Amino acid sequence: MARIETRELGKASVMPQSPEEATLDRVPNPHPDTDYVARFTCPEFTSICPVTGQPDFGILVIDYVPGKWLVESKSLKLYLTSFRNHGTFHEDCTIGIGKTLVELLKPRWFRIGGYWYPRGGIPIDVFWQNGKMPQNLFLPDQGVPPYRGR
């Protein structure tokens, strides 16, 4: 088996203070000839409101059909955690994470759902997808209900 080079896996890691400081690693997909869905759910995602400086809380659900690459999960966790000190609007945060992962992984299909808790009394949910999902795959609902006092 080929040696996998990663910057975070198997090492002590310091939490990056911003998404720009974070490193995302990818590893070879052991089944590049098979279409399947990989899902990551981040139920305690936080970022900072760029206007008030107050924390924003949300649930991120990332689904993708890998091509040659998988995202290495520890580096993804550190990358997502780096948004805790990052001021950004919900739309920019959700779409920016999606575009960053698509650029890194070049998946066959990708989607991200950002389910944000209310700020100012209004929840903002953000959805983005890249590409067409391959046929004949099981894709469960993202499992986050519309806001009703989640």
Side-chain angles (χ1 to χ4, degrees):
M1 179 172 200
R3 180 166 158 67
I4 297 173
E5 295 291 329
T6 61
R7 293 168 278 189
E8 301 295 345
L9 187 62
K11 301 172 179 110
S13 301
V14 176
M15 186 182 90
Q17 294 302 302
S18 71
E20 296 77 27
E21 289 180 24
T23 56
L24 274 167
D25 285 332
R26 64 186 187 182
V27 297
N29 179 0
H31 300 281
D33 59 338
T34 304
D35 284 338
Y36 63 94
V37 177
R39 171 172 287 174
F40 288 91
T41 304
C42 184
E44 298 176 347
F45 185 82
T46 58
S47 64
I48 300 292
C49 174
V51 176
T52 66
Q54 295 294 309
D56 285 322
F57 301 92
I59 300 167
L60 294 184
V61 182
I62 298 165
D63 294 317
Y64 72 104
V65 176
K68 290 173 43 178
W69 302 105
L70 304 174
V71 66
E72 192 281 308
S73 61
K74 181 179 179 185
S75 74
L76 178 63
K77 177 178 72 173
L78 291 168
Y79 172 69
L80 295 177
T81 300
S82 74
F83 282 85
R84 287 186 178 167
N85 300 313
H86 184 68
T88 185
F89 291 109
H90 298 152
E91 297 88 345
D92 183 41
C93 187
T94 306
I95 303 307
I97 290 168
K99 286 183 173 182
T100 297
L101 288 168
V102 165
E103 183 178 322
L104 175 74
L105 303 174
K106 312 235 181 317
R108 293 186 180 112
W109 176 80
F110 180 95
R111 82 172 174 188
I112 184 169
Y115 301 85
W116 294 88
Y117 287 86
R119 175 161 283 288
I122 300 173
I124 301 171
D125 293 340
V126 181
F127 310 99
W128 182 70
Q129 116 175 359
N130 183 269
K132 288 184 117 183
M133 188 173 153
Q135 296 292 317
N136 302 318
L137 281 177
F138 172 67
L139 181 65
D141 180 81
Q142 289 196 327
V144 182
Y147 188 81
R148 284 189 177 80
R150 288 186 189 118

